[in-house]
């Protein structure tokens, strides 16, 4: 009741303040409850609007609504902008990542493909080597010489680019020798030719014989190899090194000459004062040949370098004193560029050699049907003085050299324990099989030459420059 009285008093005060009348009514609401109703008249409005719905309140609500909408739009726009920028940046990073991953996968596939090709080539080379060894061990029917296209450049021997520090004058030994160390050449695809060897006997009469050679004997013994130097880089896989048995000024017989023979342009000729300087790698002379050389068939004699010009049967004499070509001549009918090489390949169609009797060329022709042909040459003008045809195929042997007017052939270039298996005497025009033990210590012997002044064989065995002492006597 106290509460009811307080409410009634409040409404009375409200009605008095509003200058209107107030009424109070009580009624039964049912369920034992009493309902009280108070009514107060408005002094300004004819009707009673709902609570909180005055024009001022409605206008305020409208303005608040507009403000809330504007704030929502601004906040939503910034969020969308940030979201759009973040999405664009993330999309760019994802695209770059996908591109890098794709390129990486492509490189991996290319690497695997190249590795498979290398394995296939290595396997093929090993099969060819085994086939060559098998065919050497049995006689074969006479076959026509292999035909090689003249424009076949898939494999070629040679050396690399010219030296920028070329030493050009004879006898120049001044300056810092450390700057003249042999460079480690690098080459793209430094391939070399491999062939299958066959063995046959081809009989042919002697065309012309040399003068009598006195004071010489047959090769009866070859010593274990002495190692002098290992070549630097892939360019030294095979090559030629030599000493002039009849050296002329300004050089002496101790001078060592070397040519690395891997690549497409064999033109660098290195000179060393002696064997010790060769071993240390300090050349005192570096010459650039005016025309590139083919393979490992070069030799030194009487102050000149003799070699075969690349992709031709032309022989050149390069004079060391004038540093120029002093003579040139085509070797009649000689095969070249892989037509009649030794069994290891390397375009060794023409092999020049020296012995006690002078300068020689070892090669073959179509007329000889691949059998080794020997020609004695004039060292001044390269004119052919005499020619002999042997009874052994050139592609069936690993290498050959001359001693005292006699041709000797090496059976294998890879077998560590092989033999010198054939001898042909130009004085008697007779050939025969022999068996003198010979060692390929490093199992890839690409050059064997004889030095008559030292009674030694020089050889290039799988990057290594080696020499062999020999003994001459009487074959049993």
């Amino acid at each position: 009741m106290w509460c009811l009285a307080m409410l009634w008093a409040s409404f009375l005060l409200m009605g008095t303040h509003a200058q209107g009348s107030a009424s109070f009514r009580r009624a039964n609401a049912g369920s034992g409850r009493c309902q009280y109703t108070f009514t107060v008249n408005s002094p300004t409005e004819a009707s009673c609007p709902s609570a909180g719905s005055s024009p001022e309140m409605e206008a305020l609500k409208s303005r608040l609504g507009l403000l809330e909408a504007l704030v929502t739009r601004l906040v939503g726009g910034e969020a969308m902008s940030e979201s759009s920028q973040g999405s664009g940046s993330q999309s760019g990073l994802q695209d770059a990542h996908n591109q890098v991953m794709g390129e990486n996968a492509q490189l991996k596939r290319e690497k695997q493909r190249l590795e498979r090709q290398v394995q296939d080539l290595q396997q093929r080379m090993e099969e060819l080597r085994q086939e060559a060894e098998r065919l050497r061990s049995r006689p074969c029917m006479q076959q026509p010489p292999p035909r090689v296209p003249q424009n076949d450049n898939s494999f070629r021997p040679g050396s690399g680019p010219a030296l920028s520090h070329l030493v050009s004058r004879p006898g120049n030994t001044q300056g810092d020798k450390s700057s003249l160390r042999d460079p480690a050449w690098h080459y793209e695809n430094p391939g070399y030719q491999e062939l299958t060897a066959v063995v046959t006997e081809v009989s042919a009469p002697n065309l012309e014989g040399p003068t009598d050679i006195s004071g010489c004997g047959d090769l009866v013994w070859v010593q274990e190899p002495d190692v002098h130097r290992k070549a630097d880089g892939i360019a030294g896989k095979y090559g030629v090194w030599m000493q002039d048995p009849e050296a002329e000024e300004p050089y002496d017989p101790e001078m060592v000459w070397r040519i690395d023979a891997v690549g497409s342009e064999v033109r660098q000729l290195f000179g060393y004062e002696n064997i010790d300087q060769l071993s240390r790698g300090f050349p005192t002379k570096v010459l650039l040949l005016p025309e590139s050389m083919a393979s490992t068939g070069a030799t030194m004699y009487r102050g000149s370098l003799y070699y075969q010009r690349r992709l031709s049967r032309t022989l050149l004499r390069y004079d060391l004193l004038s540093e120029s070509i002093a003579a040139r001549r085509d070797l009649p009918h000689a095969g070249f560029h892989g037509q009649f090489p030794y069994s290891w390949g390397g375009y060794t169609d023409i092999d020049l050699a020296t012995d006690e009797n002078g300068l020689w060329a070892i090669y073959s022709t179509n007329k000889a049907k691949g059998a080794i042909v020997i020609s004695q040459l004039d060292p001044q003008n390269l004119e052919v003085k005499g020619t002999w045809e042997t009874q052994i195929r050139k592609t069936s042997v690993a290498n050959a050299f001359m001693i005292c007017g006699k041709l000797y052939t090496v059976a294998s270039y890879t077998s560590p324990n092989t033999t010198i298996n054939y001898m042909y005497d130009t004085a008697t025009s007779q050939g025969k099989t022999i068996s003198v033990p010979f060692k390929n210590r490093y199992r890839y012997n690409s050059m064997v030459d004889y030095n008559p002044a030292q009674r030694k064989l020089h050889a290039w065995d799988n990057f290594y420059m080696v020499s062999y002492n020999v003994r001459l006597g009487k074959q049993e």
Side-chain angles (χ1 to χ4, degrees):
M1 289 299 291
W2 181 83
C3 292
L4 182 61
M6 291 298 293
L7 287 171
W8 174 246
S10 299
F11 274 94
L12 286 177
L13 289 173
M14 292 174 63
T16 300
H17 179 70
Q19 297 180 356
S21 61
S23 64
F24 171 74
R25 185 169 61 88
R26 181 176 65 181
N28 187 6
S31 303
R33 296 178 180 274
C34 184
Q35 180 177 1
Y36 300 92
T37 305
F38 303 91
T39 304
V40 180
N41 293 328
S42 172
T44 58
E45 297 181 2
S47 63
C48 183
S50 60
S53 60
S54 64
E56 292 82 358
M57 290 297 295
E58 290 298 328
L60 180 61
K61 284 183 178 180
S62 178
R63 287 193 295 270
L64 288 174
L66 291 173
L67 182 61
E68 289 177 354
L70 180 60
V71 170
T72 301
R73 182 184 299 174
L74 291 173
V75 174
E78 292 177 357
M80 289 179 63
S81 177
E82 292 177 358
S83 175
S84 176
Q85 292 178 0
S87 176
S89 176
Q90 186 172 2
S91 176
L93 290 174
Q94 184 64 34
D95 292 343
H97 178 265
N98 292 339
Q99 182 178 358
V100 170
M101 293 299 293
E103 292 176 353
N104 186 41
Q106 184 177 358
L107 289 174
K108 287 183 178 179
R109 290 193 297 269
E110 183 66 16
K111 178 183 177 183
Q112 292 173 355
R113 184 182 68 83
L114 292 175
E115 289 176 346
R116 288 193 299 268
Q117 289 182 353
V118 169
Q119 292 175 357
D120 293 342
L121 288 173
Q122 291 176 344
Q123 182 178 359
R124 180 58 179 162
M125 288 168 58
E126 180 62 22
E127 291 175 355
L128 290 174
R129 186 190 66 79
Q130 294 176 358
E131 181 68 11
E133 294 291 340
R134 184 182 67 82
L135 291 173
R136 284 195 201 95
S137 64
R138 67 175 190 178
C140 298
M141 298 297 293
Q142 181 173 318
Q143 300 179 3
R147 297 182 61 186
V148 178
Q150 298 303 311
N151 60 351
D152 178 15
N153 294 320
S154 58
F155 296 105
R156 53 191 138 182
S159 167
L163 274 70
S164 61
H165 60 279
L166 185 67
V167 181
S168 62
R169 299 312 308 158
N172 185 356
T173 59
Q174 303 300 319
D176 182 10
K177 290 186 179 181
S178 62
S179 65
L180 293 177
R181 277 190 176 274
D182 299 339
W185 302 100
H186 301 280
Y187 301 90
E188 296 178 4
N189 191 26
Y192 49 86
Q193 178 195 35
E194 291 283 348
L195 295 179
T196 300
V198 291
V199 179
T200 187
E201 293 289 329
V202 181
S203 59
N206 172 47
L207 302 181
E208 182 180 348
T211 58
D212 181 41
I213 304 173
S214 59
C216 281
D218 299 335
L219 178 65
V220 296
W221 175 82
V222 178
Q223 188 187 32
E224 295 272 343
D226 294 324
V227 180
H228 302 290
R229 173 79 188 277
K230 182 179 181 181
D232 302 320
I234 190 61
K237 169 69 176 180
Y238 53 84
V240 55
W241 75 283
M242 52 215 154
Q243 292 178 284
D244 192 337
E246 299 184 21
E248 296 182 359
E249 293 292 338
Y251 306 108
D252 58 47
E254 294 297 315
M255 191 78 176
V256 180
W257 301 93
R258 163 196 169 182
I259 303 173
D260 294 339
V262 175
S264 60
E265 287 291 323
V266 183
R267 297 181 66 191
Q268 287 79 37
L269 174 62
F270 298 95
Y272 305 82
E273 287 184 350
N274 49 46
I275 288 288
D276 289 339
Q277 293 301 314
L278 171 70
S279 301
R280 295 189 180 99
F282 291 110
T284 56
K285 189 73 175 177
V286 183
L287 297 174
L288 186 65
L289 300 177
E291 299 181 48
S292 59
M293 186 181 84
S295 197
T296 62
T299 192
M300 282 283 180
Y301 189 61
R302 294 182 180 177
S304 293
L305 170 71
Y306 297 85
Y307 68 95
Q308 174 194 355
R309 190 180 69 182
R310 180 173 174 266
L311 298 176
S312 75
R313 60 171 60 93
T314 303
L315 304 183
L316 301 175
R317 178 170 78 88
Y318 177 79
D319 182 69
L320 297 175
L321 179 60
S322 64
E323 298 178 5
S324 62
I325 300 297
R328 68 174 64 234
R329 187 179 297 271
D330 284 355
L331 188 59
H333 311 296
F336 64 95
H337 197 59
Q339 190 176 6
F340 302 112
Y342 292 125
S343 62
W344 72 270
Y347 303 123
T348 49
D349 300 76
I350 300 176
D351 188 10
L352 297 170
T354 57
D355 69 354
E356 292 83 355
N357 205 39
L359 179 66
W360 303 84
I362 303 168
Y363 60 105
S364 189
T365 65
N366 286 327
K367 180 181 178 182
K369 299 181 175 61
I372 290 180
V373 177
I374 311 167
S375 288
Q376 190 174 13
L377 305 177
D378 186 306
Q380 287 298 316
N381 57 22
L382 299 172
E383 181 183 354
V384 175
K385 299 167 62 177
T387 299
W388 299 258
E389 293 181 9
T390 70
Q391 297 175 328
I392 188 168
R393 291 182 62 85
K394 192 166 184 291
T395 57
S396 72
V397 298
N399 227 299
F401 54 92
M402 300 293 296
I403 298 180
C404 296
K406 300 181 179 69
L407 172 79
Y408 294 90
T409 64
V410 181
S412 171
Y413 64 95
T414 56
S415 175
N417 296 297
T418 185
T419 61
I420 296 171
N421 63 342
Y422 180 81
M423 179 185 75
Y424 183 88
D425 190 348
T426 59
T428 63
S429 300
Q430 298 294 321
K432 64 178 181 179
T433 59
I434 59 175
S435 182
V436 177
F438 185 86
K439 293 188 180 296
N440 298 309
R441 178 178 293 178
Y442 301 102
R443 304 191 178 190
Y444 202 99
N445 207 326
S446 58
M447 164 252 171
V448 182
D449 277 341
Y450 174 66
N451 185 302
Q454 300 175 353
R455 287 283 172 100
K456 288 179 181 288
L457 295 176
H458 291 176
W460 195 295
D461 190 359
N462 202 8
F463 295 95
Y464 287 90
M465 284 154 267
V466 300
S467 65
Y468 305 78
N469 289 322
V470 301
R471 183 181 303 156
L472 306 180
K474 180 64 177 178
Q475 288 281 352
E476 296 296 335

